[in-house]
Amino acid sequence: MAAAIARSPLLDALFIAPGNPGTAALGTNCPVRADDVPGLIALARREGIDLVIPGPEAPLVAGIADACAKAGIACAGPTQAAAALEGSKTFTKEVCDAAGIPTARWERFDAAGPALDHVRQHGAPVVVKADGLAAGKGVVVAQTVAEAEQAITDMMTDGTLGQAGHSVVIEDCLMGDEVSLFAFCAGETAVLIGAAQDHKRIGDGDTGPNTGGMGAVSPPAGFDREQQEAALDQLVRPMLREMVRRGTPFTGIIFAGLMLTATGPQLIEYNVRLGDPEAQALLIRLESDLLAALAAVAKGRLDQTDIRFSNQSSISVVMAARGYPGTPVTGGVIRDIATAEAMPGVQVFQAGTKRDAAGELVAAGGRVLAVCATGDTLQQARDRAYEAVRVIDWPDGIYRHDIGQRALLAKG
């Protein structure tokens, strides 16, 4: 997002909190945690900020938009009440049921015993979701009853996700291709941004545990603009009307995770911001001014939003630290990013990085780099991205080798 905003002719100054060595080249990093709402408001006042653009979900669920409104600062994001669409799986399901939005059958549980009884009675496959925010780690697609039992025990008894997993939603497992749909929203109006396809599981062939995302392609195969607009009509605009009816209208970016089933698209979940790594795959194709569009969204003026993408394909390949999505190995030195970025169509975005005492770039998180590329075809973009991945010198880095492969098979 910072890279796209930095290209805007409207920009005078860009401040990123907390930032990392990658964003330092785009603006001014500020040592304020993303979920420190009072600290962020103090920063905005001190620097005379005109527009706050929340990137992750935590500050939105913590009420950054409400605090901005109280301080008289424009914010391109939903209120705390509206951000519950991501902050609570139960809330989303209740909204879907009230609005008639197709989604998997579900039940909420506040104690492990009844949850375990439920999966033993209904069998597998089944999806176990922590009700609260869990940084992309709160969803387990259990292929067996034993896997579901372990997920429930981990979340509800052992507390591996903290408060987020004290309650769980257990739902039927939808079958099909998963895609991500993005739109600017204000009140009952939605304007299509575009779509991408994420790869959630850690291992090749969609194996292993779910992660926050190991890569993405844009646009996704088999989900064209006409189908995307139809999905907005079915799965987003009814939600917006229901949110207005509840007195909690949504303004900002909605990211709807959808499953394209044999009977049509069904909602998996809503996110209330651009995703990761979907944002990278989308925004490297962006030709219009993101800052101008976000400023219009903050004012509720969707008639002034302009969103245009190139006809190229794009791909994002995440390089994560060994051990992710469990305990990642941190501190390993990362070299040759500049060499990778000198390659045609390649951009490398940093996430969990920092500088050590010697000034070396080192890993400081689970998902560390997003190696992205564009191309005239998805095959060209994919070849470029993986060539760049191989150039980067980071012995502790792991990545999937099959990002985009399914989309290529679908196209072919």
Side-chain angles (χ1 to χ4, degrees):
M1 289 180 73
I5 291 164
R7 298 196 298 265
S8 173
L10 300 177
L11 184 69
D12 293 321
L14 179 61
F15 298 85
I16 306 107
N20 61 38
T23 60
L26 303 168
T28 302
N29 286 345
C30 303
V32 182
R33 294 194 326 273
D35 60 353
D36 179 4
V37 172
L40 294 169
I41 295 300
L43 170 64
R45 282 177 163 151
R46 184 167 65 248
E47 300 295 346
I49 299 298
D50 298 302
L51 177 63
V52 171
I53 303 168
E57 64 275 25
L60 288 165
V61 172
I64 183 69
D66 308 76
C68 283
K70 187 175 180 180
I73 303 167
C75 180
T79 63
Q80 185 177 41
L85 285 168
E86 182 164 1
S88 169
K89 301 294 190 297
T90 300
F91 179 79
T92 290
K93 288 292 191 177
E94 290 172 347
V95 168
C96 286
D97 289 350
I101 294 169
T103 189
R105 290 185 304 170
W106 66 284
E107 285 192 46
R108 172 195 166 104
F109 297 91
D110 297 314
L116 290 168
D117 290 342
H118 177 82
V119 298
R120 289 164 184 161
Q121 179 181 350
H122 288 272
V126 68
V127 182
V128 181
K129 295 182 176 180
D131 185 63
L133 295 180
K137 301 176 186 176
V139 177
V140 175
V141 182
Q143 298 300 323
T144 65
V145 169
E147 289 178 8
E149 290 174 334
Q150 187 62 57
I152 292 165
T153 300
D154 288 345
M155 294 180 194
M156 304 191 77
T157 303
D158 297 341
T160 55
L161 299 177
Q163 184 68 33
H166 286 183
S167 298
V168 300
V169 167
I170 300 177
E171 61 185 41
D172 291 351
C173 185
L174 299 174
M175 305 301 291
D177 283 333
E178 186 174 344
V179 295
S180 304
L181 182 69
F182 299 85
F184 292 128
C185 302
E188 296 187 4
T189 304
V191 174
L192 179 65
I193 297 174
Q197 187 166 47
D198 190 10
H199 297 63
K200 286 288 187 189
R201 291 183 180 261
I202 187 68
D204 290 356
D206 289 326
T207 57
N210 268 357
T211 71
M214 292 301 294
V217 298
S218 180
F223 192 52
D224 60 24
R225 297 287 291 192
E226 183 177 350
Q227 292 167 309
Q228 293 167 33
E229 284 286 1
L232 277 186
D233 280 339
Q234 191 174 14
L235 301 158
V236 174
R237 293 186 175 107
M239 174 274 289
L240 294 176
R241 291 192 290 270
E242 173 63 15
M243 293 294 282
V244 169
R245 188 192 70 79
R246 290 169 175 248
T248 55
F250 184 94
T251 296
I253 295 172
I254 202 72
F255 156 9
L258 313 180
M259 189 69 78
L260 304 182
T261 74
T263 58
Q266 295 200 44
L267 184 83
I268 300 171
E269 64 182 5
Y270 292 119
N271 294 304
V272 296
R273 32 86 202 188
L274 282 172
D276 175 11
E278 298 92 341
Q280 291 93 325
L282 270 174
L283 295 180
I284 59 173
R285 294 177 49 233
L286 184 66
E287 293 183 330
S288 53
D289 187 337
L290 180 62
L291 179 57
L294 290 169
V297 168
K299 299 173 185 174
R301 296 298 306 270
L302 294 193
D303 59 312
Q304 296 178 2
T305 58
D306 174 32
I307 196 80
R308 286 173 285 106
F309 292 93
S310 75
N311 291 323
Q312 288 190 308
S313 294
S314 61
I315 187 169
S316 172
V317 178
V318 170
M319 297 185 74
R322 184 163 41 88
Y324 178 78
T327 303
V329 175
T330 58
V333 175
I334 305 167
R335 297 188 174 95
D336 296 328
I337 286 179
T339 304
E341 289 199 304
M343 300 167 68
V346 172
Q347 295 181 61
V348 180
F349 297 106
Q350 298 181 35
T353 62
K354 68 177 184 180
R355 295 282 179 190
D356 65 12
E360 295 274 17
L361 185 71
V362 299
R367 289 186 297 162
V368 176
L369 303 174
V371 182
C372 304
T374 55
D376 292 333
T377 64
L378 179 56
Q379 184 66 64
Q380 184 183 53
R382 189 173 186 270
D383 290 345
R384 287 173 169 178
Y386 275 108
E387 186 178 357
V389 166
R390 290 188 290 271
V391 163
I392 294 171
D393 179 11
W394 179 31
D396 290 329
I398 61 170
Y399 58 92
R400 282 184 55 164
H401 301 79
D402 63 345
I403 304 300
Q405 186 172 306
R406 188 173 61 218
L408 284 173
L409 291 174
K411 286 176 179 289

